[in-house]
Amino acid sequence: MIMVKTKHIYILRRRREGKTDYRKRKTVLMSKATFISPRITSKNISVQFLEATPQGDHVLASAHIRELYKLGWNGSGTSLPAAYLTGLTAGLKASNMGIKQCIIYIGLRRYLPGSRISAILNGVIDAGLEIPVDIKSMPSKERINGEHISSYAKSLLKMDKEKYKRLFSKRIKSGLKPEEYPKHFEEIKKKILRKYSVKEI
């Protein structure tokens, strides 16, 4: 653990680099609870269920956006629907391991209502786990299934086809019509539930 001395105040390296909130981290360690750590980058989404041990954090269950691609997901890998589905996948894996509840740890990042992190937690909760978070902070069902993307695509298709093709070129190339996002979302969701032998939710 590296510390830098600034005006007689020691700043831990990971805190200085914006990676770790040591107060929250201490709370997680003291609780001895299973915790969930969602990660969102410009290209990927991943979710891990961990437990703290003297030797370091131990991964109990995890899910990555790559698993959705293997099931046929053609939507954006960093979208709000993808975040929900990744959270659902991780939550089902954890549930099948006997994990029933967890707390969230997101380091120095802020928890914002309606965000992709809240969508991940929504997926985990729908998988049957308990998380101490306000349900009102979850995205609407319409945003989770990509209805907002579909509506925007439909309006562009009528008003500006060139912009439609430009903005959704990757989705179209992958074989997904963006106006059919909700339908595609439900198809992948059913595959995830079927894979982990869970009734549709």
Side-chain angles (χ1 to χ4, degrees):
M1 189 178 290
I2 301 173
M3 294 189 292
V4 174
K5 188 176 182 180
T6 304
K7 293 182 179 180
H8 305 295
I9 298 175
Y10 287 98
I11 303 176
L12 296 169
R13 177 178 58 80
R14 290 185 62 84
R15 176 64 178 84
R16 192 174 72 253
E17 294 174 350
K19 294 180 179 179
T20 301
D21 184 322
Y22 283 95
R23 285 187 177 180
K24 290 182 180 178
R25 178 68 179 170
K26 182 180 179 180
T27 300
V28 169
L29 293 174
M30 294 298 289
S31 71
K32 296 182 179 180
T34 297
F35 63 98
I36 180 175
S37 178
R39 300 291 179 187
I40 300 174
T41 68
S42 60
K43 294 182 179 180
N44 298 301
I45 294 176
S46 63
V47 182
Q48 291 184 322
F49 284 85
L50 308 107
E51 65 175 359
T53 70
Q55 293 74 36
D57 294 341
H58 175 61
V59 179
L60 301 173
S62 66
H64 194 279
I65 187 63
R66 287 191 297 267
E67 295 176 57
L68 299 190
Y69 293 144
K70 291 179 180 179
L71 291 176
W73 176 248
N74 291 321
S76 167
T78 57
S79 64
L80 198 143
Y84 171 88
L85 292 173
T86 306
L88 178 65
T89 302
L92 291 173
K93 286 183 178 182
S95 179
N96 287 341
M97 291 183 64
I99 299 172
K100 297 181 179 179
Q101 56 187 19
C102 65
I103 59 176
I104 181 174
Y105 175 70
I106 55 176
L108 294 167
R109 290 168 294 168
R110 292 178 59 197
Y111 177 79
L112 299 174
S115 65
R116 287 176 294 176
I117 287 181
S118 66
I120 288 173
L121 298 184
N122 200 158
V124 172
I125 290 171
D126 281 353
L129 276 72
E130 295 181 9
I131 304 177
V133 63
D134 187 358
I135 297 298
K136 294 180 180 179
S137 70
M138 301 298 170
S140 66
K141 183 178 180 180
E142 289 72 25
R143 288 187 61 80
I144 284 176
N145 68 15
E147 187 64 50
H148 61 298
I149 300 173
S150 174
S151 297
Y152 181 55
K154 287 177 182 177
S155 65
L156 278 184
L157 196 55
K158 292 180 179 179
M159 300 173 61
D160 193 337
K161 289 186 178 181
E162 289 304 313
K163 187 175 182 180
Y164 167 89
K165 292 178 181 178
R166 186 171 67 254
L167 289 179
F168 296 108
S169 61
K170 289 185 178 180
R171 306 284 72 81
I172 296 172
K173 187 176 181 180
S174 69
L176 171 64
K177 293 181 180 180
E179 60 271 23
E180 296 181 355
Y181 230 100
K183 178 182 177 182
H184 183 56
F185 170 88
E186 292 298 334
E187 290 173 349
I188 300 302
K189 182 178 178 180
K190 286 180 181 179
K191 286 184 179 181
I192 293 171
L193 296 174
R194 196 156 49 236
K195 183 174 181 179
Y196 294 99
S197 301
V198 177
K199 294 182 180 179
E200 293 183 18
I201 52 179

